[in-house]
């Protein structure tokens, strides 16, 4: 990538090295490139949704080094040297992750737009709380909004997935 003009200013690309869904990635990005745009437009990982673009809805949630991160509020250069997990990295081939299965089977999704963000936030939640209470789930997913489900099915989905992951 050569020098690029952004809003009338010339900026040079910044070289980043990160691991996305277990795969090493090297790229050159403008210093102002949002992580959500890098994932969707450059890496073609379109599961990460652009929602409100203000960090309120959580549709763009990914994990960076295991922590839930709103990718619409993060720059791609901030992920340099880090591990990034997106919804595309949950399934192992054709085998869905227990969270994906439970969201499908328990009705934790309807239109599906917010689902990738909920799945990634749920992954982080279950890593910290393998046997979460309903209150912990609601608190852990408070940074994500859904207009379709009313949340009861989402909470149920996470509870069912937690049991599956624990082997119950």
């Amino acid at each position: 990538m050569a020098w690029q003009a952004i809003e009338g200013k010339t900026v040079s690309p910044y070289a980043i090295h990160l691991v996305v869904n277990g795969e090493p990635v090297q790229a050159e990005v403008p210093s102002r490139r949002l992580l959500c745009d890098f994932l969707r437009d450059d890496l073609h990982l379109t599961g990460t949704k652009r929602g409100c673009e203000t960090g309120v809805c959580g549709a763009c949630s990914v994990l960076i080094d295991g922590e839930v991160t709103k990718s619409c509020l993060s720059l791609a250069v901030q992920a340099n040297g880090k591990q990034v997990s997106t919804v595309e990295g949950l399934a192992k081939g054709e085998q869905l992750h227990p969270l994906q299965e439970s969201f499908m089977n328990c009705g934790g999704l309807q239109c599906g737009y917010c689902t990738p963000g909920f799945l990634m936030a749920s992954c982080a939640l279950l890593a910290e709380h393998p046997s979460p209470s309903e209150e912990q789930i609601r608190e852990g997913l408070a940074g994500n909004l859904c207009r379709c489900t009313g949340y009861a099915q989402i909470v149920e989905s996470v509870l069912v997935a937690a049991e599956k992951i624990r082997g119950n």
Side-chain angles (χ1 to χ4, degrees):
M1 182 183 286
W3 292 83
Q4 181 176 350
I6 298 178
E7 296 177 7
K9 297 180 182 177
T10 303
V11 295
S12 63
Y14 188 83
I16 59 173
H17 306 272
L18 59 154
V19 176
V20 179
N21 298 328
E23 298 292 324
V25 173
Q26 295 182 27
E28 289 187 347
V29 296
S31 58
R32 296 189 208 178
R33 184 95 168 132
L34 291 174
L35 181 57
C36 65
D37 294 337
F38 173 70
L39 293 170
R40 287 183 59 81
D41 299 337
D42 298 351
L43 301 184
H44 309 291
L45 297 172
T46 57
T48 301
K49 303 297 185 210
R50 290 184 192 103
C52 65
E53 297 186 1
T54 61
V56 174
C57 75
C60 68
S61 295
V62 298
L63 302 183
I64 298 181
D65 291 342
E67 298 290 322
V68 178
T69 303
K70 307 284 179 78
S71 66
C72 75
L73 297 179
S74 302
L75 298 171
V77 296
Q78 291 175 295
N80 188 33
K82 307 219 174 172
Q83 301 262 343
V84 177
S85 301
T86 70
V87 70
E88 288 89 352
L90 288 182
K92 302 297 181 214
E94 296 295 314
Q95 178 65 41
L96 294 178
H97 186 281
L99 276 165
Q100 292 170 306
E101 286 181 346
S102 66
F103 266 68
M104 186 174 62
N105 295 334
C106 298
L109 60 100
Q110 286 183 20
C111 81
Y113 198 84
C114 66
T115 305
F118 270 103
L119 288 168
M120 299 315 295
S122 297
C123 279
L125 171 72
L126 293 179
E128 187 173 336
H129 301 286
S131 299
S133 66
E134 285 190 27
E135 182 179 320
Q136 287 172 316
I137 293 170
R138 291 182 187 281
E139 184 177 315
L141 301 181
N144 295 73
L145 299 176
C146 175
R147 293 179 172 216
C148 302
T149 66
Y151 300 96
Q153 300 96 321
I154 293 172
V155 172
E156 179 186 355
S157 298
V158 176
L159 287 169
V160 168
E163 284 183 31
K164 262 188 203 178
I165 292 168
R166 288 192 317 267
N168 296 344

